[in-house]
Amino acid sequence: MSFGLYSHLGAAIVYGLFALMLLFSWRASLQGKLLTVVTIVSAAWAALAAAVAVKGTDWVDAYKAFEVLRNLAWYVFLLKLFDSAMAVGQGYRKFVHWAMPVSLGF
């Protein structure tokens, strides 16, 4: 067994428990829903990384897809956290106009 297996398996368990906790508590707000989705995607990513650590190349394509999906989900969540700042200042609006497409890879 490898260090990658244990570390990613631990991350999958912790992300899964955190997602389970969020499913029962933070469903009311948009940020809570986004955080729940992000933690579920991160749990799946960590589980796939553990599978890659054990089986090698069998799950690499799925792992790569979830790596991109996880990063995308975190970018969207973090940018949505600052939506309330958009109403206050113009600087944030300018930032989002170029940061969102860059973070999404367009």
Side-chain angles (χ1 to χ4, degrees), residues 73-105:
W74 275 107
Y75 286 138
V76 169
F77 169 70
L78 291 173
L79 288 173
K80 284 294 183 181
L81 275 180
F82 298 112
D83 267 352
S84 60
M86 264 178 91
V88 176
Q90 291 289 336
Y92 180 73
R93 250 184 243 150
K94 290 178 185 176
F95 170 74
V96 168
H97 282 351
W98 69 266
M100 184 65 94
V102 168
S103 68
L104 297 178

Side-chain angles (χ1 to χ4, degrees), residues 15-27 35-36 39:
Y15 274 126
L17 290 173
F18 187 49
L20 189 64
M21 183 193 74
L22 289 173
L23 281 173
F24 292 110
S25 61
W26 270 28
R27 291 181 307 216
L35 184 59
T36 303
T39 55

Side-chain angles (χ1 to χ4, degrees), residues 1 3 7-8 11-12 23 35 44-45 48 51 59 63 68 73 82 97:
M1 297 296 161
F3 179 73
S7 63
H8 285 101
L23 281 173
L35 184 59
W45 165 83
L48 280 171
W59 294 91
Y63 170 75
V68 171
F82 298 112
H97 282 351

